[in-house]
Amino acid sequence: MADNEHGFERHFEREDQHSIPFLETDNEGNETAGQMAAWLLLVANLPVALSLLIKGMNRFAPIGAELKKTLANINRMQKKALMWLHYYLNLSILGIVLWHWLSSRCKSSALPELGLIVMVTVIALGFFIKFKLCPKSFRKLAYQIHTQPVVFIVMILVLTIGHLIVD
């Protein structure tokens, strides 16, 4: 409350009077977008995780030749059936992640933005590889970066730590 010079008039300010409506709304939209992006990221990369698991079992587990052949066939079938999820869901995640970022920017830590940059880079490289939009000389390097497990692990760690700092 503030008094003016003419007497004791009381002025009240609304709590949200100085906020930017688009950027500082309630957290429901922010959380919804973030959870949608996280779940879609999990579903979109499930075929890749299954493939890596099956290949790892074939390579390192002490199993017979017949089981190895069966696992390789299962891997081939699951890739044919599920890889479209990897290609197209990851592209849709970009829009949802952008919505999440625009509706909940953090001023205390840059880690979520760094994770976003890594995620956009990995998805863009995958897009360029899948639809052959990059020059042949760059395609091998793009593939190596896109399929590098360390890049994916760093992205997940940076996003997780950044979101834990924000919360």
Side-chain angles (χ1 to χ4, degrees), residues 11 13 16 19-20 53 65 80 115 120-122 126 129 136 150 158:
H11 299 282
E13 287 187 15
D16 65 340
S19 67
I20 301 169
L53 181 67
K80 281 183 182 179
V120 168
T121 303
V122 169
I129 294 165
K136 227 175 188 176
V150 173
V158 167

Side-chain angles (χ1 to χ4, degrees), residues 22 35 132 143:
F22 175 69
Q35 287 198 5
K132 296 180 173 92
Y143 181 80

